[in-house]
């Protein structure tokens, strides 16, 4: 049986707490990195990697944990930079003042830089087989870099002055939010050395999960509260952001969410057909999308 998300979260929290300081050699920088990293994120991305590894029959030892925790470093960098005055200029994240509000924009930029770079150190500086480590590093770079999340963020900035249609919006979010979630699931396949068809199905599940995640986030910006979300809400409309509810209305966005979740369920079944293993462990992640 796969561990619960809360057990996986505890393991990740503990790993981050025990290991961040070992690799940072400047006190304020460490405080700034730790401030955002330990601010209470859900740890969804590394938890997806660990759950996938478990479902594919491998034990999550310290090396697997290190490679998975790297993704949380990278994700936290993206949130710090996204909140900067030059980007979204947000004051609240994970229920606390954003990094630049606490440490200033310069130190916040460096904290993000440090987390991004350290992510690649943790993915490669462990005892997993050399081919696994290099595949993880390459896929992480593709997901996070200028063909993935960074490209999505660039589209998002440019899109503030344009009206995007549904296809363009989907493409933007596939890059900005979906690419890292897709990597999170695929990483479990790489770590357990799966054949190409299984990795392909894992990536498809991750992509559909990522799409659902973004639609849900957009919906919560309209329907949720600041307390629930730990960040400012009702911002998207004021900033003329391209969002699913903005384009399709709340009901249309909910319908798109259902379509993405149904596709993720199909991928789950396909994975079972390919491997003979249960992927019911993903149900607890899909339960996140409560409306
Ligand atoms: C700065 C290069 C660069 C990229 C930033 C992901 C991103 C790109 C910006 C975040 C904008 C945003 C709020 C997107 C919506 C989906 C999302 C990533 C939400 C935050 O992720 P959670 O809910 O956060 O997993 P926690 O705090 O739980 O880790």
């Amino acid at each position: 049986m796969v561990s619960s998300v809360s057990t996986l979260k505890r393991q990740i929290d503990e790993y981050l707490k025990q290991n961040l300081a070992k690799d940072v050699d400047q006190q304020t920088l460490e405080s700034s990195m730790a401030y955002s990293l330990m601010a209470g994120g859900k740890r969804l991305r590394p938890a997806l990697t660990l759950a996938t590894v478990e479902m594919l029959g491998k034990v999550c030892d310290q090396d697997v944990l290190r490679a998975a925790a790297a993704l949380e470093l990278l994700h936290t960098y993206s949130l710090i930079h996204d909140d900067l005055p030059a980007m979204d200029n947000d004051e609240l994240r994970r229920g606390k003042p954003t990094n630049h509000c606490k440490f200033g924009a310069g130190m916040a930029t460096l904290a993000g830089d440090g987390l991004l770079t350290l992510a690649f150190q943790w993915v490669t500086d462990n005892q997993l087989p050399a081919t696994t480590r290099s595949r993880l590093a390459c896929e992480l770079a593709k997901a996070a870099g200028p063909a993935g999340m960074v490209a999505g963020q660039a589209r998002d900035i440019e899109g503030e002055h344009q009206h995007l249609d549904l296809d363009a919006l989907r493409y933007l979010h596939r890059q900005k939010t979906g690419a890292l979630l897709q990597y999170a699931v695929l990483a479990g396949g790489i770590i357990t050395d799966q054949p190409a068809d299984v990795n392909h199905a894992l990536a498809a599940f991750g992509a559909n999960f990522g799409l659902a995640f973004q639609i849900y986030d957009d919906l919560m910006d309209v329907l949720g509260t600041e307390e629930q979300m730990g960040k400012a809400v009702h911002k998207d409309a004021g900033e003329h952001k391209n969002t699913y509810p903005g384009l399709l209305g709340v009901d249309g966005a909910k319908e798109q969410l259902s379509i993405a979740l149904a596709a993720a369920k199909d991928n789950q079944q396909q994975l079972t057909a390919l491997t003979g293993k249960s992927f019911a462990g993903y149900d607890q992640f899909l339960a996140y999308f409560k409306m």
Side-chain angles (χ1 to χ4, degrees), residues 26 28-30 32-33 80 99-100 103-112:
Q26 206 279 345
T28 316
L29 181 63
E30 189 213 314
S32 176
M33 289 164 75
I80 296 173
N99 200 293
H100 64 269
F103 292 92
M107 193 56 73
T109 305
L110 291 173

Side-chain angles (χ1 to χ4, degrees), residues 52-65:
T52 304
V53 168
E54 285 189 1
M55 286 185 284
L56 288 164
K58 185 174 155 78
V59 171
C60 292
D61 60 17
Q62 287 295 298
D63 295 308
V64 175
L65 207 47

Side-chain angles (χ1 to χ4, degrees), residues 90-102:
D90 271 312
E91 291 176 1
L92 197 65
R93 170 70 71 181
R94 292 178 165 170
K96 293 171 69 175
T98 46
N99 200 293
H100 64 269
C101 286
K102 175 99 176 153

Side-chain angles (χ1 to χ4, degrees), residues 177-218:
T177 314
L180 271 202
L181 285 159
Q182 178 173 328
Y183 167 83
V185 180
L186 174 62
I190 295 173
I191 289 168
T192 53
D193 201 17
Q194 298 302 310
D197 55 353
V198 176
N199 281 338
H200 193 263
L202 288 169
F205 175 84
N208 283 313
F209 185 92
L211 190 58
F213 191 80
Q214 182 62 55
I215 300 171
Y216 186 77
D217 193 77
D218 281 0

Side-chain angles (χ1 to χ4, degrees), residues 12-13 16 20 31-46 69-84 93-94 99 108-109 111-116 119 149 180:
I12 296 152
D13 283 342
L16 294 171
L20 178 72
S31 303
S32 176
M33 289 164 75
Y35 175 77
S36 292
L37 191 63
M38 304 315 294
K42 295 183 287 297
R43 314 308 193 201
L44 210 52
R45 294 156 189 78
L71 186 50
E72 190 65 20
L73 301 178
L74 197 142
H75 165 61
T76 306
Y77 126 75
S78 80
L79 299 180
I80 296 173
H81 280 198
D82 185 61
D83 290 336
L84 283 169
R93 170 70 71 181
R94 292 178 165 170
N99 200 293
T109 305
D113 294 340
L115 288 162
L116 167 60
M149 182 177 70
L180 271 202

